[in-house]
Structure formats: structure tokens, C-alpha cells
Amino acid sequence: MTETMAAASGRPYEVKRLQTVAIPKAKVLGETHGLLKAIVDTETGLILGATLFCPEAHELINLLKLAMDHQIPAEALRTQIFTHPTIAEALNDLFAPNYRTSLSLPYTKSFAPDPSRRDGSGAKLFLCQCGD
């Protein structure tokens, strides 16, 4: 479910966002541009949908889809212990109550490969979505 669909549904929801620059593994990879976003039902705590535009999103989306399919609440992912450093550990922060809502992190809409990378590979970002 997208944010637009959640608003149209009339059900109570919350939008959770985390910029990739806040994820330690993204810093290790040198790929800090991107965003994790999830729609969570505020009454049940269930994840209604997610959009991930970050390194290793193709791996992370599987965890979110599993939680959605089996009605595992967002709190379970928030309290799960993930190895460090991994992109998956970002789920702890994404689903934390009011995580960095008042902190203004740098944001860019430009997700072009970074030509300054020494290996020449540029950014390796994946866009993944799940939800009804």
C-alpha cells in the first residue's frame, strides 16, 4: 500500500522514513543516497507497504514482505537483533518511535552514480516496493 492509498483507505496510518545516510552499512559501502519508507497501521502496528531506495534493497524487501504476509508487527522488526554492519539493521531505526523526526538530515533527489568512487562502479541503488 502506498501513502496515497493509505490516505484514501481511511484507516489510521503512520509514515516511517529513514534516509540512507543514517545507516552505518551504507556509509561503509559509500552509498549514502536513498530512503527507506514504510506505511504502518497505527492501530494494529502492521506494515501496510514499503518503498526502499537504497543499497541492498533487493535483500531487505524480503524481510518486510515476510512480515506483511505473516502479519508480524513493525515492532518485531524494531526490536529484532540484526548483525552489524548490515542494511537490515536500519529496520531498528526505521520502526523506532519518532526516530529522527526533528533531525534535518541532508537529502538529495539526485541518485546518479558517484563518479568519484575509486572502483568506478558508482552507486548501486535498488528501488523495491511491496504492499497491496
Side-chain angles (χ1 to χ4, degrees), residues 11-14 39-49 67-68 70-76:
R11 67 193 306 175
Y13 70 94
E14 179 178 18
I39 311 299
V40 179
D41 185 304
T42 56
E43 289 181 350
T44 65
L46 297 177
I47 302 165
L48 303 175
M68 292 170 63
H70 295 280
Q71 299 185 348
I72 299 169
E75 183 180 348

Side-chain angles (χ1 to χ4, degrees), residues 19-34 36 53-56 84-90 117 125:
Q19 292 187 21
T20 308
V21 70
I23 306 170
K25 177 66 176 201
K27 292 176 185 176
V28 169
L29 296 172
E31 298 173 8
T32 57
H33 296 292
L36 286 74
F53 188 60
C54 64
E56 302 178 12
H84 172 78
T86 60
I87 296 294
E89 72 179 315
R117 291 204 31 164
L125 301 176

Side-chain angles (χ1 to χ4, degrees), residues 32-102:
T32 57
H33 296 292
L35 177 75
L36 286 74
K37 179 178 168 181
I39 311 299
V40 179
D41 185 304
T42 56
E43 289 181 350
T44 65
L46 297 177
I47 302 165
L48 303 175
T51 300
L52 308 174
F53 188 60
C54 64
E56 302 178 12
H58 59 289
E59 297 280 344
L60 190 57
I61 201 72
N62 297 316
L63 291 172
L64 292 170
K65 182 67 169 126
L66 180 69
M68 292 170 63
D69 287 350
H70 295 280
Q71 299 185 348
I72 299 169
E75 183 180 348
L77 295 177
R78 179 182 60 82
T79 59
Q80 175 65 35
I81 297 173
F82 294 100
T83 54
H84 172 78
T86 60
I87 296 294
E89 72 179 315
L91 296 177
N92 297 139
D93 294 334
L94 177 64
F95 294 115
N98 302 319
Y99 181 76
R100 297 188 184 209
T101 55
S102 62

